[in-house]
Amino acid sequence: MSLFARVDWSSNGPESRQLEGAVWINHVAVSADARIDNAAELRSTLKVGRDTSIPELLVRAYLEWDDQLCQRIAGDFAFVIWDESRRRLLAARDPFGVRPLFYRFGNDRIWFSNRLRRLVDTFGGMPALDDQRVVEYLLGTYAAPERTFFRDIREVSAGSFLIASSSGAVSQHYWAPRIEPSGRRSPPIEYGLEFQRLFLQAVHRRLISSGPVMIHVSGGLDSSAIACAADILKRDSGLSIPSLRGVSGQYPGLDCDESTYINAVAQRVGFPIESWDETRLDVADIVDPGLEEPGIRTIFRGGTMGDVAIARTNGASVILSGLGGDQLGTVEGYIKDLISNGKWREAIDELMFFPKANTRSRIRRLTRLTQQFAPAWLLQMRTKMRRRFPKWLTGEMRSLAAELAPPEVPPISGVSNVQRYTWKRLMSVETLRNVSMMNVHASLHEMEYRFPFLDKDLILFSLSIPYEAWPRPGAYARLHREALADLLPTEISERMGKAEFTSALVNKVRRASRSIMALFGTDWASGRYLDREQALSFCRGVLDGGIVGSVAWRQVWAMATLEAWLRGILAYDAAEKGN
């Protein structure tokens, strides 16, 4: 759903504000793109009818709770509320930024939209680029999720609301739940059963759609669990879905091919799983880049986002993704919790005598534990000392890169170290960046990704589980592996590994090498960011095998897509000016 709002503080008339598709109640208007999970509860609390629309429900909630409504609603949402009597605007985004929301200030005006292109079009020409965001992209190190590639366009931060008036704007983070420790300790099996119930509920919520629904099936634990849960819900609960299908990218001939596990899921569920070949050559981001950002059509791990193409063919606008499973379920901080609670013997056993322990694995555990007890300033200093900035960055950009640092994750209290590290992963720049990138891409095709593992109720429950009830730390130990085991084929539930996609990335870059190298033979648009000769030498070194590592291959792709994108947006600017 398209969302657009504009307010001009220099005028008082109706022409001073514009909200597309707005719903007005008592001089309050809302423009929204929202899927609300607790709509029935809100309708009951606010004493409105069952057929009250989501936009009207948001206005009623604002009139009742003001900006506190953000903490009262659950789901994926981006909305802008204009309060005519107070001449105040409230914009908010869901806890994980599943629904995009961009804004721009300028000359006593503010604009909001869930489509970045709409804001670019409000400038007289192509807006100035954000140098930091470009450097983050080249290095693959994101420090500020609210930045876009355009200096004067920002995203409303995930889990935040922004209040704007004629006197300015202020942003506040509302999504930092306080978890009250429970004095009662249940057996782990009870936590597992409740996790499964909430997980099925999370999948159910995201399957509700007026059209066909697609589920991305990678062969890993997380996406496989979603597919199997959806099959159970459709079969046993009578859930009405016009059409349900799986979509799967496969890598024939590469060591990251997971067709064995995908086939195991296909045999378990009662709906078809359609695949596409992730190894095929796709240079769309080089020959026809999109405006929003470089590399928006292909993903760094090596393939394409072919699930969108299959969804379009099947008339679907919803794709379920397993992103968030690793962030929610990985076990970290368990040994630190044992030590913090005086359980030294158990801590030593976990450090030294765990199953399949050897010298290397013991050193790894001890190193991670030492890092967990180290003060933050020491870790930051260590990171800065280890930084090496590539010569292919220009001098000015190397200086900028030296200042990059990820933001602090809003803290939560009343939890164990296991839960605290889970929260940090969920709210990390990387997680928020991946969610945002996927849905910005999907929105170009009038689609959306939904993420069952990023369900508010599921996460709040997981954060309330005491560390003793989490699995013991180990390779690929996950909170949800045992909880969801009876939903899964044994090939998935007993799988203790993950695919590593470096070979897919290498395949993609090698197959696109002719297009990549051709970019160096014509006019150079990246001169502000990349030293052309150094970049060319680096790319040749990687393609010839002299420079190795997945980071190097990713950086080659980033250089190529940035150069192509810069040329593309310059052409877009010329077209807008009629040149």
Side-chain angles (χ1 to χ4, degrees), residues 109-131:
R109 294 180 182 180
I110 187 169
W111 294 261
F112 286 89
S113 181
N114 59 351
R115 306 292 172 88
L116 189 142
R117 181 180 290 266
R118 293 290 304 273
L119 297 188
V120 170
D121 289 342
T122 64
F123 291 83
M126 185 56 58
L129 300 185
D130 187 307
D131 290 343

Side-chain angles (χ1 to χ4, degrees), residues 383-457:
T383 299
K384 284 187 175 182
M385 290 177 64
R386 288 187 168 188
R387 282 183 177 175
R388 297 291 185 271
F389 301 111
K391 294 179 180 179
W392 42 257
L393 277 180
T394 61
E396 183 179 355
M397 295 304 117
R398 284 201 299 271
S399 298
L400 193 157
E403 301 303 318
L404 295 181
E408 289 292 324
V409 172
I412 56 172
S413 56
V415 298
S416 67
N417 290 295
V418 167
Q419 296 152 315
R420 191 171 295 113
Y421 284 116
T422 299
W423 171 251
K424 289 180 68 175
R425 286 191 303 273
L426 286 166
M427 298 303 296
S428 70
V429 179
E430 291 77 12
T431 302
L432 300 181
R433 168 66 191 142
N434 287 336
V435 168
S436 179
M437 182 186 73
M438 289 176 68
N439 261 332
V440 167
H441 171 80
S443 69
L444 300 178
H445 306 281
E446 305 298 328
M447 295 182 190
E448 61 173 295
Y449 283 96
R450 296 178 181 177
F451 308 95
F453 282 100
L454 298 182
D455 181 87
K456 185 177 182 180
D457 291 334

Side-chain angles (χ1 to χ4, degrees), residues 306-360:
D307 44 5
V308 169
I310 294 175
R312 290 178 67 186
T313 301
N314 287 275
S317 61
V318 172
I319 305 172
L320 270 59
S321 166
L323 191 152
D326 279 343
Q327 290 79 3
L328 180 62
T330 298
V331 185
E332 184 180 3
Y334 185 91
I335 300 175
K336 185 177 180 180
D337 276 321
L338 290 174
I339 293 173
S340 299
N341 287 277
K343 299 180 179 180
W344 288 94
R345 182 166 183 171
E346 292 95 327
I348 291 171
D349 285 344
E350 290 295 343
L351 273 172
M352 305 300 293
F353 306 114
F354 54 92
K356 299 182 180 180
N358 56 42
T359 301
R360 179 177 295 180

Side-chain angles (χ1 to χ4, degrees), residues 57 94 98 106 162 175 204 514 537 564:
L57 193 60
D94 61 75
V98 174
L162 185 149
W175 172 236
H204 184 281
R514 181 174 298 178
S537 176

Side-chain angles (χ1 to χ4, degrees), residues 30-76:
V30 64
S31 181
D33 176 23
R35 184 193 60 79
I36 305 301
D37 290 330
N38 61 337
E41 175 189 334
L42 290 172
R43 291 185 181 106
S44 175
T45 302
L46 295 169
K47 297 180 172 59
V48 297
R50 293 181 180 179
D51 59 348
T52 303
S53 68
I54 294 301
E56 181 180 345
L57 193 60
L58 291 172
V59 175
R60 299 288 183 189
Y62 171 78
L63 291 170
E64 181 72 20
W65 299 306
D66 202 287
D67 55 44
Q68 296 302 305
L69 87 158
C70 300
Q71 300 179 29
R72 299 271 191 152
I73 58 180
D76 306 332

